[in-house]
Amino acid sequence: SYFRDFKDSLKRLLVSFPKNIVFVLSCVNDMEMLSELGEKIKYSVYTLGDLATDEKELVLDRLEFRYKKELPLEVKSQLLVKEESNNPLYLYMMYDRMLMLDSDDFKEISRLGDGMEGQREYMLRLIADAPGDIDGVAMMIMEEATSRINELCGEVLKLIAVTRRGLREDDLKFI
């Protein structure tokens, strides 16, 4: 299984690296591995809570700075009031979706209004129509990317979204 492979790799790394090396692991929920490795390594667990409003704004500001693409103010405001926006991954994925506009998106944008007004309306609609959970948003983005690439890619992307851990070489051979 994926977890066993990861645990074995981590054990090998711990043996081969000097004691002053620090690993930072991030996970969505459970970390059963820690109990099994607890005797062998020193570790601390930090649980992150929901983002505060100013932290959510900071996440969006950093994304805009990094990608040099600013969202319209009303779009940012609507994104920040979504319940899911307490999660930085949600903010990143939705911001990313706002930037992956193609010719089909721009056809719909031109139907909605002129220039930035149409784009703003389209982005607000994307936010309103977005699923209410991280898995759903990931699937939405995968399906959009798939529609732009090809059918086989779509199946692979759906599997990646469902597993949340990626695909192994054996999985790709099976596909």
Side-chain angles (χ1 to χ4, degrees):
S1 81
Y2 172 82
F3 176 72
R4 189 180 65 246
D5 294 345
F6 174 74
K7 189 171 63 173
D8 291 343
S9 296
L10 184 59
K11 283 181 182 177
R12 283 194 303 277
L13 282 173
L14 291 172
V15 169
S16 62
F17 282 118
K19 297 284 184 222
N20 62 346
I21 297 291
V22 175
F23 286 93
V24 176
L25 304 175
S26 174
C27 65
V28 176
N29 44 26
D30 61 355
M31 203 54 182
E32 61 189 71
M33 168 185 72
L34 291 178
S35 62
E36 294 179 27
L37 294 176
E39 310 115 29
K40 299 176 178 78
I41 63 172
K42 177 182 168 187
Y43 66 91
S44 299
V45 176
Y46 300 96
T47 303
L48 299 179
D50 291 343
L51 295 176
T53 302
D54 58 332
E55 293 171 321
K56 295 189 296 187
E57 290 171 356
L58 184 60
V59 168
L60 278 182
D61 289 345
R62 293 294 179 182
L63 287 168
E64 290 179 332
F65 178 77
R66 180 177 179 192
Y67 294 104
K68 311 279 189 272
K69 299 281 184 182
E70 220 174 291
L71 296 177
L73 188 56
E74 190 177 345
V75 171
K76 284 171 65 168
S77 298
Q78 192 63 34
L79 191 54
L80 291 171
V81 297
K82 295 280 284 190
E83 184 179 331
E84 302 81 11
S85 70
N86 292 324
N87 186 319
L89 181 57
Y90 172 84
L91 289 173
Y92 175 79
M93 289 191 303
M94 288 301 296
Y95 176 83
D96 194 46
R97 176 59 185 100
M98 302 296 161
L99 298 186
M100 58 187 281
L101 303 177
D102 69 356
S103 60
D104 290 337
D105 294 310
F106 283 110
K107 284 178 191 170
E108 182 62 18
I109 287 169
S110 66
R111 193 186 68 71
L112 292 171
D114 292 334
M116 288 305 293
E117 178 63 24
Q119 189 170 350
R120 183 184 61 77
E121 286 301 317
Y122 187 73
M123 289 179 171
L124 289 172
R125 194 171 77 187
L126 285 175
I127 293 169
D129 294 345
D133 63 312
I134 295 293
D135 291 346
V137 172
M139 185 63 79
M140 174 189 75
I141 291 172
M142 297 287 190
E143 286 174 353
E144 185 61 33
T146 296
S147 71
R148 298 175 188 193
I149 302 171
N150 68 39
E151 196 69 29
L152 176 60
C153 178
E155 294 306 313
V156 171
L157 291 176
K158 286 178 187 176
L159 288 170
I160 290 171
V162 170
T163 64
R164 297 177 67 180
R165 293 183 169 96
L167 299 176
R168 296 171 296 192
E169 188 176 337
D170 291 343
D171 298 328
L172 294 173
K173 287 178 186 174
F174 176 73
I175 294 169

